[in-house]
Amino acid sequence: MLILISIFFSSFVIALSGAMMPGPLLAATISESARRGFIAGPLLVFGHSILELALMISLLVGLAPLLQHALVFVVIALTGSLILFWMAFGMFRSLPALRLPQAAEPSEHDHLAISGALLSLSNPYWVIWWATIGLGYILQSLQYGPWGIAFFFAGHVLADLVWYAAVSAGVSKGRHFLNDRLYRGIAGTCAGFLVVFAGYFLYAGCIFISCLH
């Protein structure tokens, strides 16, 4: 059970780090929350999460035979480690100037859940994240069966929901709840955790390399 909790927690922190970076979904959450109130964030995340669930199932089903090879795990783990280090470096470097993005033009789409999925697809970073870090975490969680995958995905979805709900609450209440200083503080903490997880991925990849010899 302790391992499953650690999977949940680490998945939560890594997903939170990705969610906090400015992108189409964050801009839409701010603009739609200003127009529709708190509910905009959770609805956008719902569509985003459904798309991610479909993608995760596709990865598990379509790549299952390939994922059983230790060499594939090593490549994904080392690649994920490098990207996590790169993400952490970028977050630390951007902290002094990091600001919550201003509200964009309100979306004309009434179905926010659908908009959440479409906005995710429009973000190249989202695809790269799942092809490297997400896939690496799926491989790690898969070692503990369906429960490992369930705890991974629950932590991932909860991170998105917590962050975008906080943004929605802050915007709908005049941004008094969530300001730029708090935003930078949370981002800096997440960047520190990313370094830790990158080191873990690097260690796991090296261990598997030693097993191949």
Side-chain angles (χ1 to χ4, degrees):
M1 188 64 182
L2 186 61
I3 293 177
L4 294 177
I5 293 175
S6 67
I7 289 174
F8 174 87
F9 175 75
S10 56
S11 174
F12 178 92
V13 174
I14 290 178
L16 182 63
S17 304
M20 290 183 67
M21 289 299 93
L25 191 59
L26 181 58
T29 299
I30 293 173
S31 63
E32 294 294 348
S33 297
R35 186 172 68 155
R36 307 187 189 202
F38 169 78
I39 194 61
L43 284 177
L44 285 165
V45 168
F46 176 73
H48 171 78
S49 300
I50 292 298
L51 178 65
E52 291 191 317
L53 178 61
L55 176 62
M56 189 180 72
I57 292 174
S58 299
L59 288 173
L60 285 170
V61 175
L63 296 179
L66 181 63
L67 298 182
Q68 294 175 357
H69 294 283
L71 182 60
V72 174
F73 175 85
V74 169
V75 172
I76 293 174
L78 295 182
T79 302
S81 174
L82 290 175
I83 291 178
L84 282 175
F85 276 125
W86 174 75
M87 284 175 59
F89 174 75
M91 289 177 74
F92 280 127
R93 187 176 59 179
S94 65
L95 281 180
L98 195 61
R99 301 284 188 278
L100 281 168
Q102 298 298 314
E105 289 298 319
S107 170
E108 296 299 325
H109 300 291
D110 291 326
H111 303 290
L112 290 178
I114 296 176
S115 296
L118 294 177
L119 286 166
S120 300
L121 283 174
S122 71
N123 186 359
Y125 170 79
W126 179 80
V127 178
I128 294 172
W129 192 96
W130 275 101
T132 54
I133 301 169
L135 187 54
Y137 236 99
I138 288 175
L139 278 173
Q140 290 277 2
S141 304
L142 198 56
Q143 299 178 48
Y144 305 98
W147 281 111
I149 295 296
F151 272 70
F152 156 74
F153 191 70
H156 184 89
V157 170
L158 184 61
D160 287 336
L161 180 60
V162 167
W163 172 244
Y164 288 108
V167 171
S168 286
V171 172
S172 62
K173 295 181 182 298
R175 289 175 59 132
H176 295 302
F177 174 71
L178 183 67
N179 54 39
D180 290 335
R181 183 177 180 180
L182 179 59
Y183 181 35
R184 288 192 293 270
I186 297 173
T189 302
C190 287
F193 275 110
L194 285 188
V195 174
V196 174
F197 295 134
Y200 172 74
F201 268 36
L202 181 61
Y203 172 77
C206 291
I207 289 296
F208 268 75
I209 288 176
S210 66
C211 294
L212 292 175
H213 294 292

